[in-house]
Amino acid sequence: MPPQLKVAFFFILWLVSLMGCSNPKEHPVTAGQTLGLAKDALAASNFTKVEQLVADIPRTAAEWQQGMLLAGEAATKSGNTDAAIKHYLAAIDKEESSSDGLLARFSAAEIYFDRCQLTEAEHLYRKVLSIQPGNGLTNERMAFLLAITGRRWQSLEHYFVLVKSGDADYRELSLAADVGRSIEQPEFLQKCARLAPNDKYVQLALAFEAFNDGKPESRVYMESVVQRFPEEMPAQAVLGEILVDNSDDATLLKWHKSLPAAADDSPDVWFVRGLWSRRQHDLKAARECFWQSVMRTPFHRRAYYLLGQTLEAMQDPNAEPVIDYSSRLVLLSQNIDQVLTSEGRDLDSVRTTTFLLEQLGRIWEACAWAVAANRLFPDESWPGEILHKYGKTLQGDLPRVTKQSLPSLGSETVSSVEFSSFLSRIDSQVSRNSSGEDGARSSPGRIQFQDSIPFHFAYFNADDAATKGVRTFEQTGGGVAVLDFDRDDFADVFFTQGTEWYSGSASPTPSGNLRDKLIRNIGGKVFRDVPMWTSDSDVGYGQGCASGDFNNDGFPDLYVANVGRNQLLQNQGDGTFVDITTQAGFTELDWTASCVIADLNADGFPDVFDVNYISGKGVYEAICKEKACSPRSFQGTPAQLHLNHQDGTFSAVQYGSEIRPGKGLGVVCLPIESQRYPSLFISNDQVANQLLQNSAPIGTSQVNLVDKAFVMGTAFNGNGVAMAGMGIAADDVDGNGTTDFYVSNFKDEPNTLFLQDAPGLFVDATNASGLKAASMAYVGWGTQFLDADRDSLSDLVLTNGHVDDYRDEGGEYHMRPQFFHQERPGRFVELFGDETGPFFEQKRLGRGLARLDWNQDGLMDFAVSNINDQATLVTNITTGAGHYVNVRTIATTTARDAIGTIVTVTAVDGSQWSKPLLAGDGYMASNERLLQFGLGTRTELRNIEVAWPSGALTTLKSPAVDDTFVFVEAMPKAFLQQTAASRSLPVEFRDSMP
């Protein structure tokens, strides 16, 4: 400073002192005043000044902790979260148990949470709760964190605090009541993947999201998480569940041996142990495992569900109460779905949920729902009645679930050593006979399809371009049946047709110009239309169709499902059909979607079963808000059985008691309990699927069908939800000798893979199969399994198409079909059109789909009916495919079609495959009556065994591969069918088929 300035400076100081101005240090600003100034600065959004002021508060001052809170808030609002956390953590160090200390800890946790540093956030939330266990907001945060990271049972503790507070809203109560459901937070998790990808709990959350969404990479995610955090039992359990559906016993055993000791306390690990035991058909071990699971948490809906199935299969006397309890848990989940969908405004679902919780012995929750209902529906009296009934019992010692409400198995019925015995057996088997791999794979070949000879046929759905929206019957399309009507050994094709139907009319208005079409296959080279109608025939609005020999004369007949009266077309054996509907006695006018021709009462003559859809006022006229109406708007229609009287006539008969009307669209007829009495699986639209188990008639009843879908596991998906079921594909997917189902559903609903992991017991394996995520964007219809590359693993083809035109809303109408290759047992991967062929790139309104080998090259093809578009014949041209053997059957003791016959093929290397001959074949379809077994690279077979519905057994030893064998019951040898594969053989080997 220049000398003259120094002089001026000291002169000013001297003047100030003469004027009596005091030194500021003589009257310092207090900490309280500084805190007040900081509050004012915060209110004025002067965040920098807040931090500057707070910095002047001495650490020893009582206001210092509040000052740190203000500084943290200011830094947060200015976006400097690092500084905010520093201030909050400093405040905690001062006095952590004070209210300000708790607020500081919670505030720091909130910043960590917002930055997706979930591990740090959880640590701080837990510390808050250790000091203040009843803190509602912190419990809400902890419940959320635990739920999205798969630790759902731990979240119960925190949800229960919210329940007991009486302040929980319907969302919190819903998540508490059905804690097993996944919480979808895609935007939050995408943010976390970007901000904190290495955080432990972010990785857990992302892995669980991948699994819940059915993403193909979920196994890799979960393996990575388990490797880093082996102590996380929920992740271990999900990995185990994936392995159960996708790996051999050696892999599962290795996983199980790696589990920490804490696994024995995990209900989810016990659940996976139960799945594994069931897959090995060890029901006693499965019973123990599921019981161990529900003993650790009575909220495990899936464990109770599978426990009930297992007990029923074992004919355990405790099955009924467990199934009843399980059904209430499933019903609870379904009602909570409606509560969440309606945002708490649906009175019936709120009331039903409350009373179900009461019945389940969950009194705290029932009362909490009653409190919420008082707020939501103040005019209702029942909430007050619930509170009055239980108000005095709501004490601290009242448990979450009253013990007397839980079904008891009794200690004498559940062994504690069954699973240990199971493990010992598996360990012994693996030591003797396992390579430790997921199973041998043959060369898959290059899977390709091509659109082939065009069918000059397009299904007309009577749409009216001048009327916006689609009527219900315009959505469903038409069916496909494959039959060799002229007995030349080449598969012919039949398509059902719609007809004119004026808008506003309650019935069709046919002109006679649109007719169902039969197309003859001539030598596997060309197709020709076959005239089959007189002028007054075919007046129905066609839906599905079935092929079958109803009179056992050796010529396949046709049954056509219509909106209105169905039609029975008798094959005359001379290339023509005659409509015998009236004289046969078919008079019903229901809307039949799909149908079956099969002998259901074991009298030797095939019966007819109609799967009916919906009915009610305006069902054919209504359009809802200029869009297609939901089936929820209408009532279901009971299915109908027509019994064959063996003289060309049929009559509608009762087939079982207490079978509720469904909204049926697809059907498969297969042996479940009995080959002689085949059962029926029906896919229903938005209501529970039905599995009508058939057994010997009781008393005077002629057919005895009982709906066992719930106890067998096919009524709902794994979350207990009824899907919009449409198509059904049926085959032995996982190679355990039992038939599995794939059911196509609506958009935003995953199609469902039901694996029959033990005889008569199904489990939803969609997640682990890789099929879930790929189906969410589509409305699925016709679907079939076929082994496209003959590697011995069934692949899957699926048609799609929306029910109405949503393009003006950014959606779709026409949709592309899909193909899924089964790359290893139980695991599918989608192949796209650039690899499989242009058919899978072309968008259509695909509906009915049937399987056939039209050119007899040993590669399975398929035919598709499309709405308002040419029907498609898709030919399999895969190169490098494996070997195969085909089997056809003709029964003589029972109905000639031999539905229910089980064929088992055994290779020299010990590999074995078993399949039944089915009928119904899914959505509006009948497949070619041919069983194909892909063999991969195997060239030697030990035998083919044919188990007939009559109980007879036919065995062919050392058959050749790449041939088609025709088995006739009671004949000691099989016949080689003259096909493309056998025409070059010497004539002495070409026995003619009877």
Side-chain angles (χ1 to χ4, degrees), residues 74-103:
T76 302
K77 290 182 175 178
S78 67
N80 189 354
T81 55
D82 285 336
I85 288 175
K86 181 179 178 181
H87 294 315
Y88 287 135
L89 295 181
I92 295 169
D93 291 341
K94 174 72 174 179
E95 188 180 351
E96 67 175 23
S97 61
S98 67
S99 59
D100 287 338
L102 289 173
L103 178 58

Side-chain angles (χ1 to χ4, degrees), residues 264-282:
D264 282 347
D265 293 325
S266 167
D268 289 323
V269 169
W270 278 109
F271 178 77
V272 173
R273 289 167 172 170
L275 291 176
W276 187 12
S277 302
R278 262 190 29 168
R279 186 60 55 86
Q280 297 296 327
H281 302 177
D282 192 332

Side-chain angles (χ1 to χ4, degrees), residues 241-371:
E241 188 168 345
I242 293 171
L243 295 178
V244 165
D245 288 330
N246 291 280
S247 300
D248 62 7
D249 287 329
T251 305
L252 276 160
L253 193 62
K254 181 180 178 181
W255 161 78
H256 194 268
K257 287 181 177 179
S258 73
L259 291 174
D264 282 347
D265 293 325
S266 167
D268 289 323
V269 169
W270 278 109
F271 178 77
V272 173
R273 289 167 172 170
L275 291 176
W276 187 12
S277 302
R278 262 190 29 168
R279 186 60 55 86
Q280 297 296 327
H281 302 177
D282 192 332
L283 297 186
K284 288 184 177 180
R287 177 180 61 179
E288 177 197 339
C289 295
F290 293 136
W291 180 81
Q292 294 281 2
S293 183
V294 300
M295 287 300 99
R296 283 159 176 78
T297 173
F299 302 91
H300 204 312
R301 171 167 34 83
R302 293 176 70 199
Y304 261 119
Y305 190 20
L306 297 189
L307 176 60
Q309 289 182 3
T310 304
L311 294 172
E312 175 78 4
M314 297 175 67
Q315 298 183 333
D316 190 299
N318 296 288
E320 186 174 347
V322 172
I323 291 170
D324 180 67
Y325 192 84
S326 170
S327 66
R328 294 178 195 275
L329 288 176
V330 170
L331 188 58
L332 175 67
S333 181
Q334 293 170 348
N335 274 274
I336 287 173
D337 268 338
Q338 187 58 32
V339 171
L340 293 171
T341 301
S342 68
E343 298 182 340
R345 291 191 291 265
D346 185 81
L347 171 61
D348 287 341
S349 59
V350 170
R351 179 170 48 210
T352 302
T353 296
T354 305
F355 288 120
L356 280 170
L357 288 166
E358 179 190 15
Q359 295 165 18
L360 290 165
R362 294 159 63 172
I363 305 305
W364 278 109
E365 290 179 82
C367 291
W369 277 85
V371 170

